[in-house]
């Protein structure tokens, strides 16, 4: 059977051997367009139904979609469209879909730029733009695609036009570009990069006054229509033209303009494909359900594609994020970036984090703008059309990373944080708890051998209990036992059972349970710290709200607020009760808090004892 080819950069069409394949009605066109715009990626059932029918869903959308898909498959033949557990996927080679061919040519242009070959880059972009036959999706009748799909494709088209104009100016084609740029600016009057390129072309053609008029026209339109001024890069260009700045004669001036503004798809010569994932952990154990949820959320092109892994220090958030990252790497082949959002215990500034991502793609430091909004704009443009994975580790709060969330449909983000970050828009929250006994025993066995664990099942179970099911504590315990092959498990159990020595035993190399808990403890208020010390002295499996209120000389509302802050910091667990929440101090946190109580609260145990007797 002759190979199929597909087009979306104009009318949505299917060709076989150069002859068109008839599509049976507008719904089939909508369905095929929805699949092709996410070519080689899964599209969820609900998303496809919304694309095909919009608000006029049939009585049984699933059945109607299946029937429509069967008709489309019969028309196409072969196994071009695959059924997945969560939706459908159309598999298309790069030369069989004009959109994919366009992206390949843009990548060729970027590589040519990185190799300082602007002529080759321009030739590739010219070929890429020859694939377009505007308007795009001309025969589609789907509100969703006419809104999102047309917007996405138009952005790609204009970004390529901007890059083409930039290259032609770099090569000295000033006068030849003026008419073309005027037409583009007329069609897209608020596109500041186009206005800037037109100004530069006019200035270099010795038409300074017209360049200034172009700027003033944009300035007036922005102020009257939106109450805004032109961007800082454009204002700087305007000032340079007024002053006849010699830097405007630099062939790279256009590149600096588009890169600083950040609205082009390829700001500057971004030639690298970053592969920054840390090594996967060979003895990774458990978390099967959580890993499946991450892969499902981050791999769903119709979903939010952002996941937050929340849990206390040492629970294994980073290890799980890295394991998921390696499994997503093939689907995010245009780059994987890993960032630790803390440096020396201090939250890294968002602007610095964004600059590191941009630099990872090979953009020169001199082309990275200084302000956070400009950097965020450049970053989103850089990854908008990429299959990109970002892992943000040790995040302190939503504000730190809100500007780092990419908007491109091929981008996925995995965030790890001790707070739950429930205010992060569009992100799926996955909370990590202690390892279950089987997974904990498996982790221990992977480190010291399953045979050694099976010889002392009772001691192994007690060791897991004393470690509180915390992966960090279990890994340290396993490392210590591996370094002491002559020890029995019971030997370490005996050491951990002594509360005065417990946290001293749970340290190995740079792994330290006490330091991990201390980092969370240091971030809560002195009042919350005092509440934790009091709660840790209570000899009870859990503590009802009414008991916690009596521990400190404060109002009931303030006591509850302190407890909830400790819950947010992952230093307390909470459960619902008929008379209000109950609080539980995790075992190793309890040991740490009692250490602090011994230092700070000589009367803490006596106060807690009085509290329990009253409550």
């Amino acid at each position: 059977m002759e190979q199929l080819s597909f087009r979306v950069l104009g009318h949505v069409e299917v060709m076989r051997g150069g002859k068109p394949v008839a599509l049976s009605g507008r719904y089939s066109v909508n369905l095929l367009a929805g699949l092709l715009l996410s070519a080689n990626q899964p599209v969820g059932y609900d998303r496809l139904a919304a694309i095909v029918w919009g608000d006029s869903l049939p009585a049984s959308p699933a059945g109607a979609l299946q029937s429509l898909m069967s008709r489309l498959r019969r028309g196409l033949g072969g196994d071009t469209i695959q059924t997945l557990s969560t939706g459908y996927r159309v598999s298309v080679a790069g030369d069989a879909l004009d959109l994919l061919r366009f992206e390949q040519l843009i990548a060729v242009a970027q590589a040519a730029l990185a190799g300082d070959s602007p002529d080759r880059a321009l030739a590739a972009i010219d070929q890429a733009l020859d694939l377009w036959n505007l308007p795009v999706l001309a025969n589609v009748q789907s509100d969703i695609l006419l809104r999102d799909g047309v917007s996405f494709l138009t952005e790609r088209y204009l970004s390529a036009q901007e890059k083409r104009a930039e290259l032609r100016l770099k090569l000295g084609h000033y006068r030849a570009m003026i008419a073309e740029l005027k037409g583009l600016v007329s069609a897209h009057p608020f596109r500041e990069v186009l206005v800037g390129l037109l100004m530069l072309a006019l200035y270099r053609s010795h038409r300074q006054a017209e360049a200034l008029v172009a700027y003033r026209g944009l300035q007036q339109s922005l102020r009257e229509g939106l109450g805004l001024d032109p961007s800082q890069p454009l204002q700087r260009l305007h000032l340079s033209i007024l002053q006849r700045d010699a830097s405007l004669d630099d062939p790279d001036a256009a590149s600096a303009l588009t890169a600083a503004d950040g609205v082009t798809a390829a700001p500057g010569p971004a030639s690298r494909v970053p592969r920054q994932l840390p090594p996967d952990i060979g003895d990774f154990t458990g978390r099967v359900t959580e890993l499946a949820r991450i892969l499902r959320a981050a791999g769903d092109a119709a979903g939010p594609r952002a996941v937050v892994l929340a849990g206390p220090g040492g629970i294994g958030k980073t290890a799980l994020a890295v394991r998921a990252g390696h499994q997503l790497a093939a689907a995010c082949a245009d780059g994987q970036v890993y960032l630790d959002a803390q440096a020396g215990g201090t939250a890294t500034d968002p602007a610095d984090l964004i600059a590191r991502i941009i630099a990872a793609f090979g953009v020169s430091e001199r082309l990275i703008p200084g302000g956070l909004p400009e950097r965020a704009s450049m970053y989103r443009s850089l990854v908008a059309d990429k299959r990109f994975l970002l892992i943000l580790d040790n995040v302190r709060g939503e504000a730190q990373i809100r500007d780092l969330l990419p908007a491109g449909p091929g981008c996925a983000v995995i965030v790890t944080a001790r707070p739950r970050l429930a205010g992060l828009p569009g992100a799926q929250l996955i909370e990590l708890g202690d390892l279950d006994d089987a997974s904990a025993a498996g982790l221990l066995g992977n480190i010291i051998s399953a045979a050694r664990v099976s010889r002392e099942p009772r001691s192994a179970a007690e060791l897991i209990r004393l470690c509180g099911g915390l992966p960090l504590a279990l890994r340290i315990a396993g490392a210590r036992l591996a370094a002491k092959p002559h020890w029995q498990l019971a030997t370490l159990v005996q050491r951990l059972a002594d509360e005065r020595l417990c946290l001293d035993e749970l340290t190995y190399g740079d792994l330290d349970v006490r330091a991990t808990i201390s980092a969370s403890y240091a971030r809560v208020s002195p009042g919350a710290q005092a509440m934790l010390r009091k709660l840790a002295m209570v000899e009870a499996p859990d503590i009802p709200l009414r008991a916690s209120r009596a521990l400190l000389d404060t109002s009931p509302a303030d006591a509850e607020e302190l407890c909830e802050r400790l819950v947010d910091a992952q230093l307390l667990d909470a459960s619902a009760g008929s008379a209000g929440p109950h609080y539980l101090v995790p075992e190793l946190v309890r040991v740490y808090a009692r250490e602090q109580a011994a230092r700070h609260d000589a009367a803490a145990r006596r106060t807690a004892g009085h509290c329990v007797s009253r409550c």
Side-chain angles (χ1 to χ4, degrees), residues 363-398:
V363 177
S364 171
E365 183 178 350
R366 69 183 177 84
L367 297 180
I368 300 176
L372 175 59
E374 292 80 12
R375 287 185 179 183
S377 179
M378 174 186 277
Y379 155 60
R380 291 198 178 104
S381 298
L382 179 64
V383 302
D385 61 332
K386 296 185 185 297
R387 295 171 297 161
F388 169 61
L389 172 66
L390 175 63
I391 296 181
L392 294 165
D393 201 13
N394 293 318
V395 171
R396 293 286 287 271
E398 291 92 340

Side-chain angles (χ1 to χ4, degrees), residues 275-288:
R275 299 280 187 263
Q276 294 186 350
L277 294 182
D280 197 3
I281 296 177
D283 57 11
F284 184 91
T285 306
R287 305 298 192 200
V288 175

